[in-house]
């Protein structure tokens, strides 16, 4: 059973940086999609970025392009838990949200997962607050 554990987040001022980490364990696959979503209370969950573990494709939302970087930290390690980091620079108040790591238990690549409902494994969420 796939499990996702997130860490990072917190409160920062505009222009500062944060790093979010997600560790995926228990997957029988060494290649699959991992994604970061965010959600503000009362609004729909939106994708921030995704990456194919064991692959090279990366996607960023328009809001994340140029400021956020998603990367797999242990790409050299074929087996075992997968670690993905979301580095967020030049944070803005509109980046404030609860951030979630997500993965498919099916082991699908990201191009097959168009919506948040296509992901069935989610982390617990971590709050990011950007304010002056």
């Amino acid at each position: 059973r796939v499990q996702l554990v997130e860490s990072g987040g917190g409160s920062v001022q505009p222009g500062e940086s944060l790093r979010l980490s997600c560790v995926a364990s228990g997957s029988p696959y060494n290649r699959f999609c991992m994604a970061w979503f965010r959600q503000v209370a009362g609004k729909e969950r939106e994708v921030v970025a995704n990456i194919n573990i064991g692959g090279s494709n990366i996607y960023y939302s328009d809001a994340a392009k140029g400021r956020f970087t998603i990367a797999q930290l242990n790409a050299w390690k074929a087996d075992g838990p997968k670690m993905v980091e979301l580095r967020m620079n030049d944070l803005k108040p509109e980046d404030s949200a609860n951030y979630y790591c997500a993965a498919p238990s099916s082991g699908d690549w990201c191009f097959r997962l168009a919506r948040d409902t296509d992901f069935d494994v989610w982390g617990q969420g971590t709050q990011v607050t950007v304010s002056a």
Side-chain angles (χ1 to χ4, degrees), residues 9-10 12-18 20 37-40 43 46-48 61-68 86-100 126-131:
V12 296
Q13 295 187 341
E16 293 186 338
S17 300
L18 278 175
L20 306 182
F37 288 82
R38 66 186 184 186
Q39 188 170 26
V40 176
K43 294 189 176 181
E46 62 175 0
V47 64
V48 176
S61 68
D62 288 342
K65 282 178 187 174
R67 298 187 300 124
F68 294 5
L86 183 68
R87 304 166 196 152
M88 305 184 293
N89 297 322
D90 189 24
L91 283 162
K92 304 175 181 181
E94 52 264 41
D95 294 317
S96 298
N98 212 354
Y99 283 70
Y100 297 90
T126 184
Q127 180 67 37
V128 171
T129 302
V130 186
S131 63

Side-chain angles (χ1 to χ4, degrees), residues 49-78:
N50 64 41
I51 183 170
N52 281 324
I53 299 299
S56 59
N57 292 72
I58 289 176
Y59 166 84
Y60 295 103
S61 68
D62 288 342
K65 282 178 187 174
R67 298 187 300 124
F68 294 5
T69 302
I70 188 170
Q72 183 184 357
L73 297 184
N74 59 344
W76 54 271
K77 196 172 181 183

